[in-house]
Amino acid sequence: MKILVINAGSSSLKYQLMDPDSGEVFAKGLCERIGIDGRLTHRALEKDIKVVRDIPMPTHAEAITAVLEILVDEVNGVVKSVDEIDAVGHRVLHGGAKFTESCLIDEACKQAIRDCIPLGPLHNPANLMGIEACQKIMPTKPQVAVFDTAFHMTMPPKAYRYAIPDEYYENDSLRRYGFHGTSHRYIAKRVAKLMGRDDLKVINAHLGNGSSLCAIRNGKCQDTSMGLGPLAGVPMGTRAGDVDTTVAQFIANKYNKTIDEVLTILNKKSGVLALSGGLSSDFRDLEAGANAGNEKCQLAMEKFAYEVKKYVGAYAAALGGLDVLVFTAGVGENGPTIRRMVCEGLDFLGIKLDEEKNQKRGEECIISAPDSKVTVWIIPTNEELMIAQDTAELSK
C-alpha cells in the first residue's frame, strides 16, 4: 500500500508518501506560506531529488493540489497516478475525550473535530482544512484522522482532573489531555518489541522544540506532562512550561496586557529562548554558547534538564518503579549532553549511563551501562509510520 500522510498547520502542510508495512518513505515535503504566497519543498528519496518551487497557495486546497501534482510529476514524482495512493492519514491535534483511537473520517468525525476547536484553536481548524481539501480533490480515497490526544485517554481521573470547580470540567471539558500521543504510542509499541515483553514500566522523554514526558505501564499512558494545551510541562524551545498562574496575572496587570497577549509571551517568547537571553531556541546553539562560557545558555540547559529530571522522578513514583527510560525526538535522539544532564543523580532509581554509548546520535540503541537496573534507550520516533499504519488498517 501507499499511504499519504498529511500534517496541516495554519499556514503550512507537511506530507509523506510511504509504505505502512516496510516504513519506506517514497517522498516527503513541506508546503509553507499558505495564504501568503506559497512555497513547496519536495524530496523524492529514491531518486535523491530535491525541488523547491514557488506556487500560489491561497488555501490548503491549492497546497494539496501542488503536492499531488509533484507526486505524479514525470521527473520529480514517485507514482504514475494518484490512483496509486490508497488512502490519506491526517494528524489531528485535539480529539478531546471523544476519540480514544484513530477513525475513518465522516461528517460526524469532522463535526467532533470542530467541537474541539475551543480546545485546539490554532491547530484543529488547520487540520480540518487539510482534511476537506483532500476530500475535495480525492473524494474516493479513504481518509483517516489520527489524534495527538488519543493515546492519553487511558489516564485515570487522578491524573487528568484539575483541582478546579466541577462546572469547568463538566461544562467546558477542562482537564489534562496531553499531546505527542502518536509519538508516545510508537515508542510504547517499539520498546515492548525491543525488550521482548509488554509488562513494562516506561518513561518516554519526547524532547525537542516541543517536549513532553509520558508515564506508560503495560503499553498504556498513565500520565503525561502537557495538559489542556501544549504549554504545560517542562520548558521548551519557546514555551515556558509549568508556571505559577499568578505570574500571568502579574504580567497582565502590571504591563496592561490581555490574557491572550500573556499567553503569546508564554508560548512564543519564553522557554530556553528566554533563559538564553533571546539568543536561540535551538539546543545546538545553547550548547555552543555554554561551551563558550555564556552563563545564560548554561542556565537554559540546566533548567531544561532539571525539569525533565523532576518528571522522571515523579513518574517513576507514579508507576511504582521503572524498567525503561527512553529518549526520543530531536533533542532526545541527538543530544548526548542533555541526556547526561538528565540522568546525573538518578542512580537511586537504578539509572546509570554508559558515557561512550551515550555519544551516539539518532540511532536506535541502548545507552545505559551493563549494570544499570533501568535500561536507557535512544529510539528515534516515527509518528508518520504510526499514522500510515492506522490509516492502512482502517481503510482496508
Side-chain angles (χ1 to χ4, degrees):
M1 294 183 78
K2 290 184 173 69
I3 303 295
L4 179 60
V5 176
I6 297 291
N7 182 353
S10 57
S11 62
S12 66
L13 186 147
K14 297 178 184 177
Y15 65 92
Q16 288 194 15
L17 184 66
M18 65 191 307
D19 183 324
D21 296 318
S22 68
E24 180 184 359
V25 178
F26 306 109
K28 63 180 180 179
L30 169 68
C31 297
E32 52 191 333
R33 298 178 64 81
I34 298 171
I36 304 171
D37 39 34
R39 171 166 291 182
L40 170 67
T41 302
H42 170 81
R43 288 182 61 199
L45 278 72
E46 198 172 82
K47 296 180 177 180
D48 194 25
I49 290 174
K50 181 179 179 180
V51 181
V52 180
R53 291 179 178 172
D54 291 326
I55 301 172
M57 298 179 189
T59 71
H60 286 71
E62 288 79 14
I64 293 292
T65 299
V67 169
L68 295 177
E69 286 179 352
I70 201 158
L71 287 175
V72 302
D73 184 86
E74 189 173 336
V75 176
N76 303 304
V78 292
V79 291
K80 293 181 180 179
S81 165
V82 172
D83 290 337
E84 292 183 41
I85 300 173
D86 295 288
V88 185
H90 297 266
R91 173 183 178 256
V92 179
L93 179 87
H94 220 304
K98 297 177 182 179
F99 294 99
T100 59
E101 56 188 19
S102 304
C103 70
L104 279 167
I105 297 171
D106 56 16
E107 288 305 314
C109 173
K110 288 198 294 183
Q111 186 56 51
I113 295 171
R114 289 188 193 97
D115 292 342
C116 290
I117 286 176
L119 301 174
L122 297 178
H123 296 83
N124 273 37
N127 300 153
L128 270 172
M129 284 190 282
I131 289 168
E132 291 178 338
C134 280
Q135 286 182 321
K136 183 178 180 180
I137 297 167
M138 308 169 71
T140 63
K141 300 295 181 181
Q143 313 270 335
V144 170
V146 180
F147 299 91
D148 249 18
T149 49
F151 181 67
H152 303 303
M153 290 301 103
T154 55
M155 285 189 292
K158 65 183 179 183
Y160 70 69
R161 282 293 300 269
Y162 291 127
I164 58 177
D166 276 353
E167 61 188 281
Y168 301 115
Y169 171 68
E170 294 170 354
N171 299 334
D172 303 303
S173 302
L174 300 188
R175 50 160 283 177
R176 181 179 303 279
Y177 288 100
F179 301 92
H180 297 137
T182 309
S183 173
H184 290 303
R185 180 160 62 99
Y186 173 81
I187 296 299
K189 292 180 68 173
R190 185 63 185 158
V191 77
K193 184 174 182 179
L194 290 168
M195 298 292 288
R197 48 184 282 215
D198 297 321
D199 59 332
L200 292 168
K201 297 172 182 175
V202 179
I203 296 173
N204 184 42
H206 178 111
L207 308 180
N209 191 52
S211 298
S212 68
L213 284 88
C214 187
I216 303 165
R217 181 188 292 117
N218 302 337
K220 296 184 182 299
C221 172
Q222 305 300 308
D223 205 346
T224 190
S225 58
M226 285 181 168
L228 175 70
L231 179 57
V234 300
M236 306 171 219
T238 62
R239 295 183 187 131
D242 292 334
V243 172
D244 181 348
T245 51
T246 55
V247 170
Q249 180 193 39
F250 182 94
I251 294 172
N253 289 342
K254 181 172 182 179
Y255 297 98
N256 193 30
K257 294 185 180 294
T258 67
I259 191 63
D260 286 343
E261 289 173 329
V262 175
L263 283 177
T264 296
I265 293 169
L266 295 177
N267 270 298
K268 297 184 177 181
K269 299 179 180 180
S270 299
V272 295
L273 172 67
L275 289 170
S276 68
L279 176 69
S280 180
S281 61
D282 190 311
F283 281 81
R284 292 167 294 189
D285 296 335
L286 300 181
E287 186 168 357
N291 290 338
N294 186 314
E295 293 181 359
K296 290 185 176 181
C297 288
Q298 182 65 33
L299 172 61
M301 293 186 67
E302 288 178 354
K303 174 67 173 176
F304 178 77
Y306 175 68
E307 296 297 334
V308 173
K309 188 199 305 278
K310 286 203 297 183
Y311 267 101
V312 172
Y315 285 169
L319 291 170
L322 184 61
D323 298 309
V324 181
L325 172 62
V326 180
F327 289 98
T328 193
V331 175
E333 295 167 23
N334 300 289
T337 301
I338 287 293
R339 293 194 299 259
R340 173 180 53 77
M341 292 171 72
V342 169
C343 292
E344 280 177 349
L346 294 180
D347 312 63
F348 74 98
L349 285 179
I351 294 173
K352 184 177 179 182
L353 281 189
D354 181 306
E355 281 300 328
E356 184 176 345
K357 293 177 182 176
N358 185 46
Q359 297 310 305
K360 295 184 178 180
R361 298 171 185 264
E363 179 182 340
E364 188 175 87
C365 59
I366 293 173
I367 58 172
S368 48
D371 59 342
S372 179
K373 294 179 181 178
V374 173
T375 306
V376 184
W377 281 89
I378 300 171
I379 302 180
T381 193
N382 197 334
E383 295 168 271
E384 291 78 15
L385 180 59
M386 280 273 87
I387 294 171
Q389 289 178 344
D390 282 6
T391 302
E393 182 64 29
L394 287 166
S395 60
K396 284 179 181 176

